[in-house]
Amino acid sequence: MVSADDSGDDEVEPDDNLRSFGETVKASRKRAGRTQEQLAALIGYSVQYVGSVEQGRRHPSQKFITKTEAVLDTFGVIGIAAKQLSRRRGLATWFRRWAELEEVAVTLNTYECRSIPGLLQPESYARALIGDVLPPPTAEDVEERIAARLARQQLLTRTPYTVFSFIIEEAVILRQTGGAEVTSQLIDHVLECSRPPNVDLQIMPSISPEHAGLGGPFCLLETEEHEWVGYSEGQQSGRVLSDPKDLSLLHQRYAKLRIQALNPADSAGLLMRLRGSL
C-alpha cells in the first residue's frame, strides 16, 4: 500500500529499479563526501529513510528526490534515475518483469476472462476496477496505478508496431463494471483500439460449448530475439513462463481459442450490439 503522506511509501521488497536508484543516491552521496546522517539532516528525513532508499527497500517521495538532487548537486543524475523508477510505480511487484518484456515484444497474445486487459482499458474503466480492490487503495495509489496502466497503452501505437491479439470473454463486457456509462465508454475505447492493422480483437461468446481457455487467463509474448515467453497470473501472484513444455501447452490453447472465438469482424459487431443495448 502506498502512503499518501509526504514522507513517501512503506518499505517494499527490492526490485532492480529500486536497487539501481538506491545505488545512484549512495554513489552521489559518497561523491559529495556526505554520510547518511549528514544527508538526512540536510534534506529533513530520518537516517532510516535514507538507508532504506539506498538499499532499494523504499520508494522515494518526490520531495526526497528534489531535495537530494539539490543538496548533492548531481547535475540531474538523480532526477534521471527517478524517471526510470517512476515508470514502474503503480505496477504490482509480480507484474513488473512482464511489463518490461512487453516493451520489447514483437508479438503479444492475450486471453482474458476476468476483466478487459490493461492495454485496452479507458481511464474510467481502470478507475472502476482499481476502486473495487480490497483493501481500498489510497488516493495516491489509485492515481499511480491508473497512470502506469495508461502509460503502458503507448505500446499499441508505437513504431515499429507490435502485433497484438486479444481474446476476451463476452461476460467481461456483460458484467458492466462501473455501470452502464462506463461500459459504453469501454466498448467505444476497445473498438477504437482494435482498428489499427496491428491489433486483432476477438470475443469469446458466453455460450461456448467448446472452450480451450477454461484453465484461466494467460499471455504469450515473442521477444526481439524471436524467443517466446508466457505469463500466468492469479491472486497476488504472477509467473513468467519459459519452460518449453509450458509454452507449447499455451500455444496449443491459444491457437484453439482463436478458432473458437468470434472472428474480428463478428466480434466488433457483437460489441456494437452490446453498446446499443445499454
Side-chain angles (χ1 to χ4, degrees):
M1 183 71 67
V2 178
S3 172
D5 64 27
D6 195 45
S7 63
D9 306 329
D10 294 334
E11 291 199 354
V12 298
E13 286 300 313
D15 64 27
D16 290 342
N17 292 303
L18 282 172
R19 287 192 187 96
S20 178
F21 180 82
E23 289 169 0
T24 299
V25 171
K26 183 177 181 179
S28 299
R29 173 178 59 77
K30 288 188 172 183
R31 182 194 63 82
R34 302 287 188 180
T35 65
Q36 286 186 350
E37 290 78 6
Q38 290 171 330
L39 177 60
L42 288 169
I43 64 176
Y45 282 82
S46 68
V47 176
Q48 291 78 12
Y49 189 103
V50 173
S52 293
V53 170
E54 289 189 355
Q55 294 165 18
R57 299 194 65 85
R58 183 185 291 272
H59 285 287
S61 68
Q62 185 57 50
K63 177 182 174 183
F64 176 93
I65 294 167
T66 302
K67 287 198 166 187
T68 302
E69 177 72 71
V71 166
L72 298 181
D73 191 19
T74 65
F75 304 100
V77 170
I78 287 179
I80 292 170
K83 287 181 180 179
Q84 177 66 25
L85 177 64
S86 66
R87 290 168 66 242
R88 295 288 169 240
R89 295 195 63 167
L91 298 179
T93 302
W94 60 84
F95 185 74
R96 289 174 184 166
R97 174 56 181 154
W98 184 253
E100 291 171 354
L101 289 168
E102 280 184 338
E103 293 181 358
V104 295
V106 296
T107 306
L108 180 59
N109 299 333
T110 301
Y111 165 65
E112 184 56 77
C113 57
R114 303 165 304 176
S115 60
I116 296 297
L119 291 173
L120 300 178
Q121 293 178 12
E123 181 177 343
S124 58
Y125 180 81
R127 194 172 292 278
L129 281 180
I130 293 169
D132 282 341
V133 170
L134 294 175
T138 66
E140 181 182 2
D141 200 8
V142 168
E143 297 308 318
E144 286 182 351
R145 294 183 192 181
I146 290 173
R149 199 162 299 182
L150 296 180
R152 285 176 53 226
Q153 295 177 6
Q154 296 174 9
L155 298 176
L156 292 172
T157 55
R158 71 174 183 184
T159 54
Y161 287 121
T162 298
V163 176
F164 292 93
S165 168
F166 297 97
I167 301 175
I168 304 169
E169 292 288 335
E170 180 185 3
V172 170
I173 305 291
L174 295 175
R175 189 175 298 132
Q176 295 192 26
T177 299
E181 182 176 352
V182 170
T183 303
S184 294
Q185 295 171 6
L186 170 66
I187 293 174
D188 290 343
H189 184 75
V190 168
L191 286 169
E192 183 65 27
C193 289
S194 68
R195 286 196 175 96
N198 62 309
V199 181
D200 281 337
L201 173 69
Q202 294 180 255
I203 301 296
M204 178 65 77
S206 294
I207 300 176
S208 305
E210 296 182 348
H211 198 311
L214 297 179
F218 64 92
C219 300
L220 283 163
L221 177 152
E222 183 186 8
T223 70
E224 289 178 306
E225 292 76 29
H226 305 293
E227 297 176 348
W228 285 88
V229 289
Y231 181 72
S232 176
E233 187 174 271
Q235 293 281 346
Q236 296 297 105
S237 64
R239 289 193 306 146
V240 175
L241 307 170
S242 58
D243 185 282
K245 291 182 180 179
D246 291 334
L247 297 177
S248 175
L249 181 148
L250 294 182
H251 275 293
Q252 291 177 49
R253 291 180 180 176
Y254 202 83
K256 183 64 73 172
L257 282 167
R258 272 185 152 161
I259 297 171
Q260 295 169 340
L262 299 177
N263 65 42
D266 290 342
S267 295
L270 173 59
L271 287 175
M272 288 187 282
R273 290 195 298 275
L274 292 175
R275 174 72 167 80
S277 68
L278 293 172

